[in-house]
Amino acid sequence: MNRHKDKKDTILIVDFGSQYSMLISRRVREMGVYCKICTFKDLKKNILEDSVKGVILSGSPNSVVKKNDDNSYKFLFESGVPVLGICYGMHLMSLYFQGKVITSKKKEFGRVKLSIHRQCSLTQGIYDDLDSSGFSKLKVWMSHSDIIEKIPKNFQVFASTENCRYAIIGDEKKKIYGVQFHPEVTHTNRGKHIIRRFVFSICHCENGWKPNIKISNMIQKIRNQIGNDQIILAFSGGVDSFVTALLIHRAVGKNLFCIFVDTGLLRLHELERILKYSSRFHFNLIVVSEEDRFLRALRNVKSPEKKRMIVGKIFTEIFNEQARKRKNVRWFAQGTIYPDVIESKLVLDQKNIKSHHNVRGLVGLDKSLKILEPIKNLFKDEVREIAKKLEVPKKVIYGHPFPGPGISIRILGCVKKKYCEILRQADHIFTEELLKHNLYYKVSQSFAIFIPMKSVGIMGDNRKYEWIISLRAIKTNDFMTADWFHFPRKFLERVSNRIINEVNSISRVVYDISSKPPSTIEWE
């Protein structure tokens, strides 16, 4: 899949381990400008080789207060190329130009209001609203512990927040700018506009580049790789594995074997749904029922990371067993997408958020099996666009994502069959009501969580001391950031009443109003 064809002007992103470097790249590419991610050690080579019109320095989980190597950035800041530093990138820039960065006593995580005191090329004409004095106001998303205490000489301050005096700084003459917030995430309302100002007004890029994602090319690439070999696919029935299955099936036909594992950790009626939607595409679907095997292995396991690794290990064992049953299987495929890779610390120097069994958990996979991940560089919305072209049913395309470890990570603490049954029923009621009220497709992901803590309730004049269910529903474009969904009060009331009345052993229902970040979408 050639995504670099006919590139023109280039924006270079220097990745310092940010979870959102790929989001910066996507924002730029959506504007029709080619964007490339590199590490700092490859920066000089990339600037010299490519038609780089601007450089964006990413955020980072690291701190410049603990590690100061600002002298190594001389080539970048004296190259004459415009630079935009985001969070950590802004701090690096400040140190190089003799500013001062400290660890703040007041950290900022989440949305804050930013006031623009003085307009600059980066912010001209951008605002959410105006205050009584006519100054521009922006809602931005912050995630930092360090702040700039002293800006460099010849730099100006353009904007601030209540807790951050230097929220936007820059040297207009050198075309070097720094922002403390993250314009790449959807939580910053006008973030795309700020990046657009940098790309077009400051770097003077032309928007002549288009991504080249052609299904025919993807299929041919798979055909060239696989040849006449047989291949097994970890098939969950979600849009990612469906698209992967259809691409491979079109490439190799009956040499593909889709393995669906009934773990006992599925949603209510999940297997029936899978069989219904997959039957129309006529690929080989093999159902392996292993509920007891998974539940035995998860008994007394509380750690979410251990749950993920255990589930991944058993999946691997099953896939190995299925491969051995067929003499010519040489490949193992999975529907890994880019957010999975990012959260599992497989890109550059990123911190591990959580392990995805389909990224890091395949320890023990037969060494004779080669890995095929045809959509691992795509985001969810890109996968869905491909799914539409492949005529995947709407209910699959826009079905809410379901994690590989299933409801084992939606049960806090130990996993028991009884807990699974309770959670499945509560989750099914939630989904039923979403569909009934035409809310299901307005929500990006929704599910119930079983909390093994008891709470007092009253039913029929009797004291009830039972478990708690939490509901979670989010809205997102790329699953890298997400906002909790604002339901009507009556809807939540109805769902709560149904769960408490229809599901045994539940005395209380709560609703999660956390955004990602700082929270993740799943609880474990």
Side-chain angles (χ1 to χ4, degrees), residues 293-472:
R293 186 172 179 177
F294 280 90
L295 290 180
R296 280 198 309 270
L298 289 167
R299 186 179 299 151
N300 299 322
V301 177
K302 294 182 179 180
S303 165
E305 278 294 274
K306 286 184 178 179
K307 290 180 190 178
R308 290 176 182 274
M309 291 299 100
I310 287 170
V311 170
K313 181 175 181 293
I314 299 175
F315 269 124
T316 304
E317 292 170 357
I318 292 169
F319 297 139
N320 282 337
E321 292 161 7
Q322 292 297 314
R324 292 182 194 123
K325 289 182 178 181
R326 296 161 185 86
K327 294 182 179 179
N328 198 34
V329 171
R330 300 287 182 269
W331 294 81
F332 172 76
Q334 50 192 2
T336 305
I337 62 173
Y338 200 75
D340 299 339
V341 175
I342 291 172
E343 290 189 331
S344 292
K345 196 191 174 183
L346 290 189
V347 179
L348 304 177
D349 188 33
Q350 292 163 346
K351 297 294 184 181
N352 182 31
I353 302 301
K354 59 187 178 185
S355 297
H356 290 260
H357 77 275
N358 62 319
V359 177
R360 297 184 61 120
L362 288 171
V363 177
L365 188 70
D366 195 314
K367 292 181 180 179
S368 66
L369 295 175
K370 291 176 279 189
I371 305 297
L372 180 68
E373 297 172 314
I375 60 172
K376 72 175 182 179
N377 293 320
L378 304 180
F379 282 86
K380 182 71 74 174
D381 57 321
E382 294 174 316
V383 175
R384 283 174 169 160
E385 287 303 311
I386 294 174
K388 291 175 187 176
K389 295 176 182 178
L390 294 173
E391 298 183 344
V392 175
K394 179 182 177 181
K395 288 186 178 179
V396 174
I397 296 175
Y398 295 105
H400 294 178
F402 188 65
I407 59 176
S408 71
I409 57 167
R410 293 177 178 176
I411 295 171
L412 303 192
C414 296
V415 179
K416 299 180 181 180
K417 187 170 183 177
K418 179 182 178 181
Y419 294 170
C420 291
E421 292 169 350
I422 291 172
L423 180 56
R424 258 191 287 270
Q425 293 176 53
D427 186 81
H428 184 66
I429 289 171
F430 190 21
T431 301
E432 269 192 339
E433 291 299 324
L434 285 168
L435 289 167
K436 189 182 296 183
H437 289 81
N438 296 318
L439 290 168
Y440 184 84
Y441 295 112
K442 295 179 181 179
V443 172
S444 303
Q445 187 170 358
S446 64
F447 52 92
I449 305 100
F450 180 82
I451 304 175
M453 296 178 64
K454 292 193 173 183
S455 172
V456 175
I458 300 173
M459 292 190 74
D461 294 328
N462 292 318
R463 184 178 185 271
K464 189 178 182 181
Y465 193 55
E466 301 290 3
W467 311 113
I468 302 169
I469 287 288
S470 177
L471 304 177
R472 176 77 158 142

Side-chain angles (χ1 to χ4, degrees), residues 125-165:
I126 299 173
Y127 60 90
D128 288 325
D129 51 57
L130 301 173
D131 65 15
S132 57
S133 301
F135 289 114
S136 300
K137 296 284 188 179
L138 290 175
K139 291 179 182 177
V140 301
W141 187 80
M142 293 279 195
S143 179
H144 66 98
S145 300
D146 295 344
I147 60 171
I148 295 173
E149 185 179 56
K150 175 186 175 185
I151 63 172
K153 184 180 179 181
N154 298 325
F155 274 59
Q156 292 179 304
V157 56
F158 300 112
S160 63
T161 71
E162 183 177 349
N163 295 322
C164 180
R165 183 179 178 185

Side-chain angles (χ1 to χ4, degrees), residues 34-86:
Y34 178 65
C35 191
K36 184 177 181 180
I37 299 177
C38 73
T39 59
F40 175 71
K41 67 179 181 179
D42 295 324
L43 172 63
K44 186 173 183 178
K45 178 181 72 173
N46 280 284
I47 288 181
L48 293 175
E49 290 180 357
D50 295 324
S51 53
V52 173
K53 301 294 288 289
V55 174
I56 298 177
L57 306 177
S58 82
S60 175
N62 301 313
S63 169
V64 299
V65 175
K66 299 176 183 177
K67 183 180 179 182
N68 185 351
D69 53 359
D70 54 288
N71 289 330
S72 59
Y73 299 93
K74 182 177 180 180
F75 171 80
L76 170 62
F77 294 120
E78 294 187 6
S79 67
V81 176
V83 179
L84 171 62
I86 296 175

Side-chain angles (χ1 to χ4, degrees), residues 183-199:
E184 71 272 27
V185 302
T186 55
H187 294 62
T188 298
N189 292 356
R190 307 291 174 181
K192 287 184 181 180
H193 296 78
I194 291 171
I195 295 174
R196 178 177 289 275
R197 291 286 304 176
F198 178 72
V199 170

Side-chain angles (χ1 to χ4, degrees), residues 4 34 54 62 77 84 97 104-105 119 142 208 210 228 230 252 260 272 277 280 299 325 362 366 389 420 465 485 505:
H4 309 339
Y34 178 65
N62 301 313
F77 294 120
L84 171 62
F97 288 104
S104 176
K105 295 180 180 179
Q119 290 291 352
M142 293 279 195
K210 291 183 179 180
N228 295 321
Q230 291 182 338
V252 303
F260 178 81
E272 294 92 327
Y277 292 124
R280 63 180 287 187
R299 186 179 299 151
K325 289 182 178 181
L362 288 171
D366 195 314
K389 295 176 182 178
C420 291
Y465 193 55
F485 194 84
S505 304

Side-chain angles (χ1 to χ4, degrees), residues 483-500:
D483 278 321
W484 60 278
F485 194 84
H486 293 244
F487 288 117
R489 177 180 173 180
K490 288 186 178 180
F491 172 80
L492 289 173
E493 184 179 349
R494 175 169 174 77
V495 175
S496 175
N497 288 340
R498 278 198 63 190
I499 290 173
I500 291 173

